Amino acid sequence: MKYISTRGQAPELTFEEAMLTGLARDGGLYLPAEIPVMSQDEIAALAGLPYEEIAFRVMWPYVSGSFAEEEFKAIIARAYEGFGHDARAPLKQLNENHFLLELFHGPTLAFKDFAMQLIGQLFQVALKRRGDRVTIVGATSGDTGSAAIEAFRGLDAVDVFILFPHGRVSEVQRRQMTTPADSNVHALAVDGDFDDCQAALKDMFNDFDFRDGVKLAGVNSINFARVLAQIVYYFSAAVSLGAPHRKVSFTVPTGNFGDIFAGYLAKRMGLPIDRLVVATNQNDILHRCLSGEGYFKGETIPSISPSMDIQVSSNFERALYYAYGEDGSAVAQLMDELKNGGFNVSQGAMEALRESFDSGRMSEDETLETIKHTLAHSAELVCPHTAIGVKVGEDHRAADTPMITLATAHPAKFPAAVEKASGEHPPLPSRMSDLYERSERVTRIANELGTLEDHIRRHIAE
Ligand SMILES: *Cc1c(COP(=O)(O)O)cnc(C)c1O
């Protein structure tokens, strides 16, 4: 499989090259040159298989050529062995046909572990084979950073630097990033918000001297390998509810559009998904856009669902690429307009987006109310991100189609909001109950490209 850029001006790469690079050199995002399709029989045969076997069958067409079959199977096995649930992504029933897909049984209690644990193993195998090393820099609103640190800590071919917005992540998220003692792990608290961190990261990738000098690699959700790992649980969940013989819909608490874009690819691969519902908090650029108001940046307002506090949703570029009929130059032009505040989506592209996507937005009060309601009516304590999905999903649920809402984080990752809403304190799973006693290691740093690049250059291992 070859990989192409959404902006059409970067060289085609193999899966391994696209994974190690992250962002394309024309500023675009990598996508497979063709989306592989699974037959209805192949999808039906997934029912009842272990998660790892489903993962292999769904991802293999994307990676073959870069990894050997047995090698890739072993990578998948190592990626998910540290999860606290044998099903990896279990389904729970909320009411007659609304289900929660629990994606928080990995080492850092959020869905990002699914992709990051896989990427850690993929990088290790690929870099070992090449005798090479890389510097991974990631920007996080909280969960990506902890998942990346957990996936790459202690690997000798990799240094990891994580930029997070100072004071804007939960204490559990911060501690998961600042307490690992491994010397290849560097947590940077940036004076700014998540969009500032993400912009600084993009600028580093576009500074080719720096990029080549430190062998920069990205593991943000712009990395296609992340999206790929997330396609798998759409299949595992849908087949356990009767796909391909029955359609299902998904609601996804959305920030950077990576998770829901994986659902779009699952649909294009042949999985009978009826609707893909984007659920946002008050930072609602995606909901406004899908409601026909254009894609215009606002100001990021901190919320109780901080992992969705963003205004520029980087993976949306991938959806736009398909909505604009795979026209890279049209996408490049939109992204230029975005630098000046935003753009209107053409009528044809809006129609294409609406074929797959719906959207909804929740206020802070509605989010708290949903946490309380879900505990009272379904006996489930949900995190604030998941609560947004649950309410938006309920609003979009059709009687004859099961709705599956992605439970993106464990409630104990956001204890303050959960306790405020429900009166219950969500305990951490016992395997990480000493998190509050471990000592922290973090550098506070200005939101300034030169300062950040200097710091990284001085702290990578020789
Ligand atoms: C990252 C994250 C999201 C948003 O996912 P995207 O792929 O960025 O849309 C939602 N909920 C939680 C808990 C997250 O960590």
Side-chain angles (χ1 to χ4, degrees):
M1 178 74 77
K2 283 287 180 189
Y3 285 79
I4 52 165
S5 164
T6 48
R7 302 194 193 171
Q9 296 295 320
E12 286 191 359
L13 300 181
T14 64
F15 174 78
E16 181 175 311
E17 290 164 341
M19 172 184 84
L20 292 173
T21 304
L23 193 68
R25 286 182 103 87
D26 60 1
L29 279 58
Y30 276 105
L31 280 169
E34 273 167 53
I35 300 173
V37 172
M38 289 175 77
S39 72
Q40 298 297 289
D41 285 349
E42 285 172 319
I43 295 171
L46 300 176
L49 294 179
Y51 186 84
E52 283 80 352
E53 180 62 28
I54 297 177
F56 175 76
R57 295 190 191 185
V58 169
M59 294 192 286
W60 178 245
Y62 291 92
V63 306
S64 63
S66 288
F67 294 91
E69 209 170 304
E70 289 312 312
E71 186 179 47
F72 189 52
K73 283 188 174 161
I75 284 170
I76 293 171
R78 281 197 299 277
Y80 299 119
E81 71 189 1
F83 277 50
H85 199 300
D86 282 349
R88 309 311 184 212
L91 272 178
K92 284 241 176 101
Q93 190 162 5
L94 290 180
N95 62 30
E96 58 274 22
N97 69 346
H98 193 168
F99 297 82
L100 266 188
L101 179 57
E102 290 187 350
L103 301 176
F104 52 68
H105 295 286
T108 69
L109 306 180
F111 82 87
K112 293 189 173 72
D113 288 325
F114 277 87
M116 215 59 90
Q117 287 292 319
L118 185 81
I119 270 206
Q121 299 300 326
L122 289 168
F123 265 68
Q124 190 176 26
V125 170
L127 289 171
K128 235 186 189 169
R129 190 161 53 211
R130 295 168 164 234
D132 209 351
R133 58 171 299 119
V134 294
T135 302
I136 287 171
V137 184
T140 187
S141 55
D143 293 332
T144 300
S146 47
I149 284 172
E150 200 55 49
F152 288 97
R153 61 188 287 187
L155 300 186
D156 55 7
V158 177
D159 272 290
V160 199
F161 294 82
I162 296 298
L163 320 180
F164 69 88
H166 175 73
R168 297 209 187 177
V169 299
S170 81
E171 185 175 0
V172 174
Q173 289 176 318
R174 191 191 72 235
R175 286 182 166 275
Q176 284 181 334
M177 293 189 276
T178 58
T179 58
D182 311 73
S183 62
N184 70 328
V185 164
H186 314 266
L188 304 179
V190 176
D191 288 311
D193 62 20
F194 172 59
D195 288 314
D196 294 327
C197 295
Q198 192 160 247
L201 180 67
K202 273 211 157 188
D203 289 344
M204 286 180 210
F205 271 95
N206 288 322
D207 177 348
F208 292 149
D209 276 349
F210 177 77
R211 178 174 178 166
D212 296 337
V214 305
K215 298 196 174 163
L216 192 60
V219 294
N220 265 65
S221 60
I222 51 177
N223 192 310
F224 184 75
R226 292 254 325 256
V227 175
L228 175 62
Q230 295 168 180
I231 299 173
V232 176
Y233 44 71
Y234 287 89
F235 278 89
S236 68
V239 295
S240 66
L241 291 180
H245 314 297
R246 171 158 86 148
K247 284 192 169 191
V248 298
S249 290
F250 287 93
T251 300
V252 186
T254 301
N256 249 329
F257 211 82
D259 209 5
I260 194 160
F261 183 73
Y264 173 80
L265 288 180
K267 183 173 168 143
R268 292 280 305 263
M269 289 176 73
L271 191 65
I273 296 176
D274 186 26
R275 307 305 299 164
L276 286 162
V277 187
V278 172
T280 78
N281 65 21
Q282 57 200 1
N283 298 296
D284 61 351
I285 182 167
L286 287 166
H287 174 57
R288 284 186 280 116
C289 180
L290 291 167
S291 305
E293 295 172 31
Y295 192 78
F296 292 93
K297 291 188 250 189
E299 194 175 325
T300 311
I301 313 164
S303 79
I304 55 171
S305 45
S307 303
M308 295 156 64
D309 285 349
I310 65 159
Q311 280 297 340
V312 177
S313 188
S314 40
N315 274 288
F316 194 52
E317 178 169 343
R318 290 189 159 115
L320 289 169
Y321 175 76
Y322 291 115
Y324 277 83
E326 308 188 17
D327 179 351
S329 56
V331 173
Q333 194 187 327
L334 296 177
M335 293 302 134
D336 267 350
E337 289 176 43
L338 184 59
K339 288 189 192 132
N340 302 319
F343 53 84
N344 284 302
V345 179
S346 74
Q347 198 185 335
M350 266 324 290
E351 278 165 19
L353 290 168
R354 286 200 175 118
E355 271 174 33
S356 299
F357 299 106
D358 288 320
S359 67
R361 165 205 204 271
M362 284 299 127
S363 69
E364 298 287 273
D365 283 347
E366 288 168 312
T367 306
L368 291 168
E369 186 52 41
T370 305
I371 293 174
K372 191 175 160 193
H373 185 272
T374 309
L375 181 62
H377 291 265
S378 307
E380 291 295 333
L381 202 51
V382 293
C383 90
H385 311 76
T386 305
I388 290 169
V390 166
K391 179 67 165 67
V392 171
E394 199 57 22
D395 291 348
H396 285 80
R397 183 163 66 89
D400 52 352
T401 308
M403 176 60 78
I404 302 169
T405 292
L406 274 50
T408 51
H410 191 287
K413 225 170 166 177
F414 304 93
V418 171
E419 190 163 358
K420 182 178 171 199
S422 68
E424 291 209 9
H425 184 79
L428 280 170
S430 53
R431 61 198 150 109
M432 51 194 74
S433 55
D434 67 339
L435 187 66
Y436 287 96
E437 279 107 66
R438 297 180 206 155
S439 65
E440 296 189 72
R441 198 163 52 89
V442 60
T443 305
R444 183 145 173 205
I445 193 161
N447 169 30
E448 206 274 310
L449 187 64
T451 310
L452 287 163
E453 290 185 344
D454 274 353
H455 181 89
I456 291 169
R457 276 202 197 90
R458 281 188 282 110
H459 287 84
I460 49 181
E462 290 307 322

